[in-house]
Amino acid sequence: MTLANTAARSDLIAPHGGSLVDLMVPPDQQEGVRASVDKVLECSHRNACDVELLIVGGFSPLRGFMHQEDYDAVVAGHRTTSGLLFGLPIIFDTDDAAVAVGQRLLLTYQGQDLAVLTVESRWEPDKVVEAKGCYGTTSLEHPAVRMIATERGRYYLGGRLQGLALPQRVFPCSTPMEVRATLPAGQDVVAFQCRNPIHRAHYELFTRALEAPNVSKGAVVLVHPTCGPTQEDDIAGEVRFATYERLAAEVDNPRIRWAYLPYAMHMAGPREALQHMIIRKNYGCTHFIIGRDMAGCKSSLTGEDFYGPYEAQDFARDQATELGMETVPSLNLVYTEEEGYVTAEHAQARGLHIRKLSGTQFRQMLRGGEEIPEWFAFRSVVEVLRAAA
């Protein structure tokens, strides 16, 4: 059965561009699609994430990789040539100089045939312009600038995609159609994006978001972590997935939905915030929690942030109306000895005693076998992280 066999929910927010795309070829037609292939190209981990999101409609309304004209437009101004909002360009890259427009490429990944790409556009990008437009910097200290300069191929390809299979992963990634089927009718759906294990402060943050004044009383939160490639020092996707599964079983909260997103992080700050909102709209979300310095990163040389603390929040909020979504600013929560988790402003006004534990301290305590305070991390999450260490 293809995704198209499942009727779209009309009682939920409309997908980006108006229609939820399904590029999966029916099984009885796949042999014919494969028969016309000219060349085989292996996907990188990042390519595979993009192929999957295109096939299932996570990047709706795209029906394939962007042509050069749309790539240029998105780099220059976060919109396609038709004026549609897009945070980052979606392209396929290769170092194979023999690939030509008109060819049909079989895209493979770790022994699987994922899709057939009909090459309709091929160009050699100016990666300096791409870096400056998408990430606001050309410094190789930025992880995505380093990625496009050293990992991505010399040539970019755009064109129509026909899906054959989804990547086999340790973490099962529900499609937009599957996630939408679990959502309550006529209620707000608040998306929480993360790329690290969820600790107590995160849980407090996204459950309290359900009480925000612009969120309906019967709303649910979709905890939707990215499980694709991310920063080099982040915890592996398979381990993060295990922590989420344990935590979901432990809290067993009916107002929380859990799903996993096969997305490769760019750490692009404002542009990434917009990209995440568009994707979550396709998964049925009406609201998006924007944290301080969302998808931000620092220079490994100077320690300086590449983006201001509220740059992503401001940029996403400015685009939200056009997207038909709303943002929920993330509360600045702190843990106090007297009252548990409260806002930093409340703690300061009442002179409460704040307890802090940095990520670095947490990792040191984890490695050293020290007891992790339960106000900071769920015991179930700590057990998974220790087992994986």
Side-chain angles (χ1 to χ4, degrees):
M1 185 178 75
T2 68
L3 304 180
N5 295 132
T6 308
R9 292 268 303 270
S10 60
D11 54 358
L12 301 174
I13 188 172
H16 192 43
S19 61
L20 193 61
V21 168
D22 169 20
L23 302 180
M24 188 66 78
V25 176
D28 61 346
Q29 298 175 26
Q30 291 195 4
E31 186 177 343
V33 170
R34 281 187 173 89
S36 59
V37 164
D38 301 298
K39 201 176 187 69
V40 178
L41 289 184
E42 175 73 4
C43 291
S44 67
H45 296 312
R46 288 179 177 273
N47 292 151
C49 287
D50 287 344
V51 168
E52 181 168 359
L53 284 173
L54 283 168
I55 291 173
V56 301
F59 286 140
S60 293
L62 298 186
R63 302 194 67 84
F65 289 103
M66 291 179 179
H67 293 189
Q68 183 177 2
E69 294 77 14
D70 281 334
Y71 160 84
D72 287 338
V74 171
V75 167
H78 59 271
R79 291 179 187 275
T80 63
T81 52
S82 66
L84 193 70
L85 284 169
F86 245 92
L88 296 166
I90 310 299
I91 54 84
F92 192 87
D93 64 285
T94 182
D95 279 319
D96 190 337
V99 172
V101 171
Q103 287 185 328
R104 288 171 55 76
L105 310 177
L106 177 63
L107 306 182
T108 60
Y109 179 64
Q110 298 184 342
Q112 279 185 278
D113 294 347
L114 294 189
V116 172
L117 167 63
T118 300
V119 182
E120 297 165 346
S121 183
R122 174 190 179 277
W123 69 101
E124 194 169 342
D126 186 330
K127 293 185 178 181
V128 174
V129 172
E130 179 182 350
K132 188 65 176 175
C134 292
Y135 312 120
T137 179
T138 58
S139 171
L140 290 174
E141 288 297 301
H142 189 292
V145 175
R146 191 162 60 251
M147 179 271 293
I148 65 173
T150 64
E151 294 178 27
R152 272 192 179 167
R154 180 176 176 179
Y155 307 101
Y156 285 3
L157 308 176
R160 181 168 50 94
L161 201 67
Q162 295 169 284
L164 301 174
L166 300 181
Q168 294 173 352
R169 303 182 183 280
V170 172
F171 41 91
C173 295
S174 298
T175 69
M177 192 75 78
E178 289 166 345
V179 170
R180 282 170 168 261
T182 71
L183 302 177
Q187 295 291 347
D188 291 336
V189 181
V190 182
F192 177 70
Q193 146 69 22
C194 62
R195 67 178 207 279
N196 288 308
I198 290 171
H199 296 315
R200 290 276 180 182
H202 299 126
Y203 185 80
E204 293 290 332
L205 188 155
F206 63 69
T207 51
R208 292 186 190 203
L210 291 171
E211 311 307 320
N214 63 333
V215 174
S216 66
K217 294 301 180 186
V220 297
V221 61
L222 173 66
V223 181
H224 205 203
T226 54
C227 291
T230 180
Q231 289 199 103
E232 295 170 0
D233 59 348
D234 280 349
I235 292 168
E238 292 82 356
V239 177
R240 282 179 276 146
F241 164 67
T243 67
Y244 303 139
E245 290 289 286
R246 285 285 296 276
L247 184 56
E250 179 180 341
V251 299
D252 193 24
N253 187 331
R255 297 190 69 188
I256 301 175
R257 304 291 188 273
W258 300 79
Y260 307 108
L261 184 71
Y263 178 87
M265 291 292 294
H266 290 245
M267 311 310 298
R271 288 291 197 100
E272 188 120 61
L274 173 58
Q275 195 84 329
H276 280 300
M277 286 182 70
I278 290 169
I279 293 169
R280 279 13 182 269
K281 181 181 181 182
N282 287 328
Y283 279 82
C285 298
T286 58
H287 292 61
F288 191 75
I289 299 172
I290 303 280
R292 185 181 183 275
D293 193 29
M294 181 189 170
C297 52
K298 300 176 184 289
S299 164
S300 57
L301 285 178
T302 65
E304 293 292 313
D305 291 311
F306 280 105
Y307 310 108
Y310 302 105
E311 220 175 311
Q313 284 189 0
D314 293 343
F315 184 72
R317 185 192 60 237
D318 291 346
Q319 317 303 325
T321 300
E322 184 175 342
L323 279 177
M325 297 180 73
E326 295 188 44
T327 59
V328 181
S330 133
L331 296 172
N332 184 13
L333 297 177
V334 294
Y335 183 80
T336 63
E337 295 178 1
E338 296 87 350
E339 298 183 24
Y341 279 101
V342 297
T343 64
E345 296 78 13
H346 176 88
Q348 185 176 13
R350 299 208 173 188
L352 305 178
H353 295 86
I354 297 173
R355 297 186 65 181
K356 293 182 179 180
L357 185 63
S358 72
T360 300
Q361 288 175 306
F362 171 66
R363 287 189 291 273
Q364 289 173 345
M365 294 171 74
L366 204 59
R367 286 193 297 268
E370 297 178 56
E371 189 70 20
I372 308 292
E374 290 202 36
W375 62 262
F376 182 83
F378 289 90
R379 188 175 298 278
S380 56
V381 171
V382 171
E383 287 173 357
V384 172
L385 294 175
R386 281 216 164 107

